[in-house]
Amino acid sequence: QKEVEQNSGPLSVPEGAIASLNCTYSDRGSQSFFWYRQYSGKSPELIMSIYSNGDKEDGRFTAQLNKASQYVSLLIRDSQPSDSATYLCAVRYSSASKIIFGSGTRLSIRP
Amino acid sequence: DAGVIQSPRHEVTEMGQEVTLRCKPISGHDYLFWYRQTMMRGLELLIYFNNNVPIDDSGMPEDRFSAKMPNASFSTLKIQPSEPRDSAVYFCASSSPGGQNTGELFFGEGSRLTVL
């Protein structure tokens, strides 16, 4: 089992719709969870971090965390073509400070 | 702040040559990470440092890879001898573990390595 798992996609969503991205992780004690966006040829950039169970909203983005199910998700409302990118889920291990990434989900917003 | 600075941005070399990648973290950050990204394997953690000390190098593929951090503002990743399968984008990232943004990583622009 991979430490951090994501569906590789591509996920195609019409402009203006909600995009839903999912991630599961294996380290039950992990406390810090992140979503990074990576455009083609660029470096990853942080868009959301979440540390507690429940939802965290920032503009059009909502991160959801369920530690009991070891599940993190990212919702993007009112999807725009500029949201087309690869979204990387990252988890900080409980026993150390190392941060492990999933393989990423390619998101495509069609006009 | 200038952000994380990596060099070179692009490197093309021949199999068997030595490659050295360089990274300057954000001032004040006490964690430094080296990642490698390929289409097949995604973003893999190679090694990370805390206060210039290597903490976990279990991701380093083999003895051909080595990393050092002689001071808080500089780190190197060396591959000797290089092989075509080492072709990838190598990212350096730094973070400061305290505060609300615990563990948030700031990435450099990456070094794209091609080994012929």
Side-chain angles (χ1 to χ4, degrees):
Chain A
Q1 180 189 7
K2 290 184 180 178
E3 296 166 294
V4 181
E5 295 208 50
Q6 297 180 253
N7 188 323
S8 62
L11 176 65
S12 181
V13 173
E15 185 175 355
I18 295 176
S20 177
L21 305 164
N22 304 314
C23 171
T24 58
Y25 59 94
S26 61
D27 179 29
R28 183 168 288 280
S30 294
Q31 297 293 322
S32 305
F33 307 87
F34 311 90
W35 284 99
Y36 286 78
R37 177 178 61 200
Q38 186 176 26
Y39 292 114
S40 180
K42 302 295 185 182
S43 57
E45 56 178 340
L46 182 73
I47 53 172
M48 290 287 288
S49 58
I50 187 166
Y51 308 102
S52 306
N53 277 330
D55 296 358
K56 179 181 177 182
E57 186 174 318
D58 184 1
R60 296 187 296 111
F61 298 95
T62 298
Q64 300 174 316
L65 173 61
N66 183 327
K67 291 184 179 179
S69 300
Q70 295 173 243
Y71 178 89
V72 193
S73 66
L74 179 70
L75 301 177
I76 306 174
R77 290 181 299 281
D78 187 24
S79 296
Q80 303 296 310
S82 60
D83 294 327
S84 297
T86 295
Y87 289 80
L88 300 163
C89 173
V91 176
R92 183 181 177 193
Y93 267 36
S94 58
S95 60
S97 292
K98 71 178 185 180
I99 299 173
I100 302 299
F101 284 79
S103 56
T105 298
R106 274 196 299 132
L107 175 65
S108 175
I109 307 301
R110 56 183 190 271
Chain B
D1 201 314
V4 176
I5 300 173
Q6 291 187 246
S7 65
R9 292 291 313 280
H10 301 275
E11 175 93 4
V12 180
T13 190
E14 293 189 346
M15 185 173 63
Q17 297 299 305
E18 178 178 296
V19 173
T20 299
L21 308 178
R22 298 172 177 80
C23 176
K24 176 180 168 52
I26 292 172
S27 177
H29 282 189
D30 51 2
Y31 280 84
L32 184 140
F33 299 77
W34 282 101
Y35 290 89
R36 175 173 70 175
Q37 188 172 41
T38 61
M39 289 291 292
M40 291 296 295
R41 300 176 69 87
L43 197 60
E44 303 174 275
L45 176 63
L46 300 177
I47 185 171
Y48 75 99
F49 296 83
N50 178 219
N51 291 322
N52 314 336
V53 176
I55 302 301
D56 186 338
D57 66 354
S58 58
M60 297 284 261
E62 48 199 90
D63 292 345
R64 297 184 298 106
F65 285 69
S66 62
K68 295 181 179 179
M69 191 165 185
N71 57 62
S73 59
F74 184 66
S75 177
T76 60
L77 178 67
K78 187 174 292 186
I79 308 172
Q80 167 64 19
S82 58
E83 297 183 3
R85 59 189 167 131
D86 302 330
S87 298
V89 180
Y90 291 80
F91 286 106
C92 175
S94 68
S95 78
S96 182
Q100 180 65 29
N101 293 328
T102 302
E104 176 182 347
L105 290 176
F106 295 82
F107 282 82
E109 293 186 299
S111 294
R112 181 175 294 276
L113 173 64
T114 302
V115 183
L116 303 175

